[in-house]
Each structure stands twice: as C-alpha cells, then as structure tokens.
Amino acid sequence: MHDVSPVTNRGSSDADMSAPERAKPTYKTRLSQEEVMIFRWAQLWRTIILSATGRTLFPYARYIRTLNLGDLEELLGDARFKDRVSAMFFEGELKKYKIQTSGTDKMLTRVDAGSTSNNLGDIIVTSTPMLEELSGKVENDALLRWIPKLPRLRLLNLWYGGALVGAGPLLRQHCPAFKTISLWGWGHEEADSKFADFLNEITPQTLESLEIFSYALFGAETLLALSCHREALTELKLDFVNGFAMQSLNLLAGCTNLTTLLLTDGTSLQVDLKNEYHDVFLETIAWLRSCKKLQSVTLRNFRDGQDLIAQILLENGIHLTNLELKGYYMADALAFHQALSNQPSLQELHLKGDSDEVGDGVATLVESLCQLTNLTTLRLQNISDYFTDEVIGRLARSLPKLEEWYTSGWGVTDAIWPDVAKLKSLRRLDMAALSRFTANGILDFVLNLGPNNKGLVLAIMMADVDCDLHEHEQNMIRETIASRVEGRFEFQLQRGKMLYEGDDFCGDTIDRSGRIRV
C-alpha cells in the first residue's frame, strides 16, 4: 500500500479527484485535499501500530508480510505532517515514542523521522510473525533486536549496509528462509571486510539475490565471499563497482548459476581491464561464458563493455532475453554489433553510446537488429543518431513484435509512418530524432492504429523548429489518438536551429475552420 501513499507520490491525489476537480484545481482546494490525504495516511499507520499493541478490534499487524518503514519515515518527515496531523498521530501511548530533532529554537524543532520510525518499528515487529520483507533506514541495534522475532524473514531492503554488522549469526539461527539482500549503499572504509563477514556468517548456499543501488566500498573480499553462495545466487546487481572491485571481477568465477547480472563501473575514469588488467579481463570473459543460465545482462559505463558482452552473445549455450549496454563507442563495437544477431531470443534491448556516421557502424548495427525478430522493447539512445527514414522503416518492417520503441535519428520525416503503423502491438513510441513531421502525416499514422495499440503514447521530442505544429493541430492529434486508441500525444521542438541537406518547407497549414490543408 505504500506505493500509493500521498507522501511517496509527492502528494498526487488525481486518482481520487473527479474530472472537474482535475481540470481546475485551486490552490486552496488542492492544499485541503493534500491535508486530508496525509491525515488519512497517518491514521492508517497509527492503526497498524496500535494493532500491534492489541488496541484495535482486529490484529492487523499479525497479517503483515511486507513492512516498509521508509514510507513511515517519509510520512513523519513530510512538511505537511504537523499540527493537527502530528497531534492525532502521537496521541496517547504513542507520544513516548516521539523523538524530536535537537535545536535551541522551539519553533524549528521537528520530529526526528529516522529515529522515531525505528522506535515505532519496535512496536510493530513484536507482533508481525508473518513478516517476510523488511525495508527502510533500519538502524543496526534495531535490526539486531528484530531478527529473532521474524522467523519467516526472507528479504532485507536496507538504506545503509552498516545495519548488517553482527546480523549474520542471528539470521542463520532465526531466519531459515532468508535469501535476498538489497542495499542502497555502504561507504564505510571497512565495508568490504564487514560485508564479507556477513556473507560468510549466514547459512551457506542460501543467498539468491544481492542488489546494491549506489555507492559502496566493496572489493575483493566481498566478491570472494559470494562464492559461499555460488550454487544459490541467481541475481547479482551491483550498480556501483569501485576500482578495487573492478580489478577483482574474476573472483566471481564460482558464481555460474546467475540468471540476472547488472554491473556499473562507478569510477570517474573507466577502468581499462583489457589493457591494464589483461589477466582479469580474460578470466572475467571465461566466467561470463560459463554462466549458461544467463537471461538478463546489463553493463553500464564499462570501458570494455562491448568486448565482454560480445563474448556472451557468441556463446551458443547462452540465450538472453534482456540486454542493456550503456557508455560505449560505435567505432569500437563492430564485433559486438555483429554478435547481436547470434541472440534471436532477445526480447528487450537497450543500447546507449556514441554513434559514428563514418564507416560501416550504422549498417552493421541495423543488419543485426533486423535479425532480432522477437524484440518487444527497443531503446536506442545516441547510438542511433544517424538513423534515417530508410533505417527506421526497415526496422519497423523487420521487428513486428515491438511494443515499446525509443530511437534517435537524423532528418526523419513522414516517410516512416506507413511502416510504423504496421506495428500492431506498439504501445509506446518515443521519437527523439531530429524530425520534420507534418500534422497530416501524424494523423494518417494515428488513424491506421488498431485495437492492439490501445493506450499508445506517441512522443515527438525533437521536431525541427521550421515544422512546428500549430496548437490547433496538436490538439486535433491529441483528440484523435485519445478517441482512436485511448492514447496520448506529446510534442516538443528541437532547441536551436538544425540545418538539413535539401531543406524544404513543411507544407501543412491550418485554416480558420481548424481543418488541416496542404
């Protein structure tokens, strides 16, 4: 339920508003509605907390399986959590759990959201025997108190990895189902050794998923300790791999049961594995090729990313369904682009890199993309900057299952619409190309959409300033796409004047009756 919180959604209450209210909300009305929403959300949390103490008719807390204390912290820290709302929430026995921020000015003193949410967590956790997932900025001492009370715990999603210090033996003793860790980060200088200790302390061969979202000082000790879970580990997502860890990627050699792998080089200067740590580079390739169960691979900001992934693509025993590569150069990626065609099982592909109009780079990439006939999602950022009408049309004809398509391009015109209109499953088209579309061309495309295109979002984000669509034309397209497929149309001009070879005038105009004419 926290996913629809008015706090985590930054006060958006459109779903609960009538059409007239959505159309013309006044500041006073909007403020009043937000206060009501915050009050109700605070009431819900208060009810859950009180149920843990037996003060409600039904023991709601006993049936909680997922607890996100981060949502409670956001509620307590929200600027609208004050006066009447705060007084209601902390009324009675909950008042003693309220911790104020320190300060000399009484008027500036606020609730310490982090400490207070951990205090209230003490109440909830004592009565949640069914709890399986725990999330939030949980403090170390609180986590150590809670683990023995959570026999069904299987997932921890923590803000700071330091909360895990000393938790390994407790999880091993009290939580036999524990198998998933997600951490926002861990910047302490001893993070590598402390996390390695944790991985060695929990039950061997039980960790199935590890995800690190941001800055973490993990290195060789952590990567080596993951071998204690090599048979169980199927998902590894490290969205910040520091320099020490980059130089030790070969220590993951034992983790060959992975189905999902995400690695991001977090160094400011990309580590050159291929030239500076060649042995590590070769051993990393050998490890990746031995992961026969891989289905999803993401490499970001790797200097040698295209070379590493090319080896995965060429391994006949690996059949990927999802691939993402960010931060590479087309000029260095000929082998990678050629190898793409060896993975016809791909359903989602995201490539972001610097394009090159010189040489065979574009032609090679397009040739391989056309072989991936099972693609449902295709995102091409920057690497497609020199795609033309002909290229986009060919891709549309070759990839009939596309549902989401993002592409850049150069001088793209209405010539693409007949081919794109044949994509009967298309639900989103983001055209980030320097384009010269006309209102008539766009309307013809919209009128050719079918029932499977229901909800289509058409976003034209870099239209040539000389081909600006009149407001009436944009409104007509919006109304047509809404009535045709319940879709949405977004339009934005390219910033700055771009010149094309053979410039000619965009011929659509609109007369006083609102009808488009050529």
Side-chain angles (χ1 to χ4, degrees):
M1 292 182 68
H2 63 272
D3 292 328
V4 294
S5 159
V7 176
T8 53
N9 279 328
R10 293 291 177 251
S12 175
S13 55
D14 286 353
D16 298 299
M17 297 169 62
S18 64
E21 288 174 325
R22 287 197 301 268
K24 295 183 178 180
T26 64
Y27 174 77
K28 186 175 181 180
T29 301
R30 182 77 177 185
L31 186 60
S32 176
Q33 289 168 341
E34 291 180 2
E35 288 175 346
V36 170
M37 294 289 288
I38 293 292
F39 192 85
R40 289 176 179 173
W41 202 253
Q43 278 184 317
L44 179 57
W45 269 110
R46 176 179 167 84
T47 301
I48 291 172
I49 295 167
L50 290 178
S51 74
T53 66
R55 296 293 302 278
T56 57
L57 182 60
F58 298 104
Y60 304 113
R62 294 190 62 83
Y63 301 100
I64 293 177
R65 295 180 183 273
T66 300
L67 179 62
N68 182 3
L69 291 176
D71 179 72
L72 175 58
E73 182 178 348
E74 286 199 48
L75 171 68
L76 299 174
D78 192 272
R80 295 161 294 184
F81 186 83
K82 58 183 180 179
D83 303 333
R84 186 170 69 101
V85 179
S86 180
M88 176 277 297
F89 185 85
F90 288 110
E91 183 181 1
E93 62 187 277
L94 295 190
K95 186 175 182 179
K96 63 183 178 182
Y97 296 95
K98 180 180 179 181
I99 301 177
Q100 299 281 107
T101 57
S102 58
T104 55
D105 191 338
K106 223 173 183 183
M107 297 295 292
L108 298 178
T109 302
R110 293 182 52 80
V111 175
D112 185 331
S115 298
T116 302
S117 64
N118 275 263
N119 258 6
L120 295 171
D122 271 324
I123 305 175
I124 301 172
V125 169
T126 57
S127 299
T128 54
M130 305 289 286
L131 191 68
E132 298 177 358
E133 301 181 8
L134 176 63
S135 305
K137 295 182 181 178
V138 181
E139 297 170 0
N140 176 247
D141 56 345
L143 185 62
L144 299 184
R145 289 195 304 271
W146 298 349
I147 288 175
K149 304 172 184 177
L150 303 174
R152 299 195 179 192
L153 185 68
R154 61 179 181 84
L155 180 150
L156 283 173
N157 185 346
L158 304 175
W159 180 264
Y160 176 58
L164 293 172
V165 175
L170 293 174
L171 288 167
R172 185 169 185 163
Q173 180 180 354
H174 299 284
C175 307
F178 183 73
K179 61 181 180 181
T180 302
I181 306 171
S182 296
L183 301 176
W184 180 255
W186 196 351
H188 193 274
E189 60 182 7
E190 295 183 353
D192 188 27
S193 61
K194 295 292 185 184
F195 192 49
D197 290 342
F198 171 82
L199 293 172
N200 287 318
E201 289 167 352
I202 61 177
T203 305
Q205 308 303 340
T206 57
L207 185 66
E208 295 180 7
S209 175
L210 171 63
E211 183 168 11
I212 313 296
F213 295 102
S214 187
Y215 183 74
L217 291 179
F218 299 150
E221 291 186 60
T222 294
L223 300 184
L224 190 60
L226 283 172
S227 295
C228 294
H229 304 276
R230 59 186 177 276
E231 296 176 11
L233 192 65
T234 59
E235 183 177 68
L236 180 61
K237 296 182 177 181
L238 306 179
D239 214 0
F240 185 96
V241 183
N242 61 58
F244 297 111
M246 286 291 297
Q247 300 167 28
S248 307
L249 286 177
N250 56 325
L251 296 179
L252 290 168
C255 302
T256 57
N257 283 327
L258 293 174
T259 60
T260 301
L261 175 66
L262 183 154
L263 300 173
T264 300
D265 184 342
T267 60
S268 56
L269 298 174
Q270 296 171 314
V271 176
D272 188 354
L273 291 178
K274 188 174 183 178
N275 295 312
E276 296 183 15
Y277 305 95
H278 193 63
D279 290 344
V280 174
F281 176 73
L282 294 178
E283 290 176 20
T284 300
I285 287 178
W287 161 57
L288 292 172
R289 296 190 70 167
S290 67
C291 297
K292 305 297 185 182
K293 298 179 182 179
L294 272 176
Q295 297 176 11
S296 176
V297 176
T298 299
L299 292 187
R300 298 171 181 158
N301 201 40
F302 268 62
R303 182 162 185 164
D304 309 301
Q306 67 279 354
D307 298 317
L308 293 173
I309 291 185
Q311 296 301 314
I312 299 175
L313 300 176
L314 293 172
E315 184 63 39
N316 291 329
I318 297 177
H319 304 286
L320 299 180
T321 58
N322 188 309
L323 174 61
E324 179 180 325
L325 178 62
K326 288 186 176 181
Y328 74 105
Y329 295 92
M330 177 175 281
D332 301 329
L334 184 63
F336 162 64
H337 287 159
Q338 288 174 334
L340 279 171
S341 61
N342 200 50
Q343 292 290 327
S345 56
L346 277 170
Q347 297 175 16
E348 299 184 17
L349 177 62
H350 185 180
L351 303 178
K352 182 177 181 180
D354 289 338
S355 188
D356 188 356
E357 64 177 327
V358 180
D360 299 327
V362 171
T364 302
L365 173 59
V366 173
E367 187 65 35
S368 289
L369 290 176
C370 289
Q371 308 304 312
L372 306 179
T373 56
N374 286 308
L375 282 179
T376 59
T377 299
L378 177 61
R379 292 183 59 83
L380 303 172
Q381 294 179 267
N382 305 126
I383 201 72
S384 55
D385 280 353
Y386 295 102
F387 279 18
T388 60
D389 285 345
E390 181 181 354
V391 169
I392 294 175
R394 183 183 175 191
L395 288 175
R397 294 190 300 272
S398 302
L399 307 175
K401 296 182 181 180
L402 278 184
E403 298 176 9
E404 297 184 17
W405 188 5
Y406 181 108
T407 185
S408 54
W410 180 265
V412 181
T413 71
D414 288 337
I416 69 167
W417 295 128
D419 291 317
V420 177
K422 295 175 183 176
L423 296 172
K424 298 306 180 183
S425 298
L426 192 66
R427 298 295 181 85
R428 184 175 186 99
L429 177 60
D430 292 283
M431 190 58 62
L434 299 170
S435 59
R436 299 175 62 83
F437 299 128
T438 66
N440 275 345
I442 298 170
L443 279 172
D444 285 343
F445 165 69
V446 171
L447 291 172
N448 278 292
L449 295 174
N452 289 336
N453 300 119
K454 185 176 180 179
L456 173 75
V457 176
L458 173 60
I460 296 172
M461 296 175 282
M462 295 182 64
D464 182 7
V465 293
D466 289 337
C467 292
D468 188 9
L469 297 182
H470 193 282
E471 184 178 350
H472 290 171
E473 296 174 313
Q474 293 185 42
N475 289 338
M476 183 178 295
I477 296 170
R478 290 190 179 98
E479 292 170 4
T480 305
I481 197 171
S483 62
R484 183 77 178 177
V485 292
E486 301 178 24
R488 190 171 78 246
F489 175 64
E490 300 171 1
F491 183 81
Q492 183 175 328
L493 290 174
Q494 153 70 19
R495 294 183 180 180
K497 170 69 173 162
M498 300 298 295
L499 298 177
Y500 303 94
E501 291 184 12
D503 269 0
D504 53 15
F505 178 71
C506 297
D508 285 0
T509 59
I510 188 165
D511 61 26
R512 293 183 180 179
S513 67
R515 293 176 299 192
I516 299 173
R517 61 180 176 80
V518 178

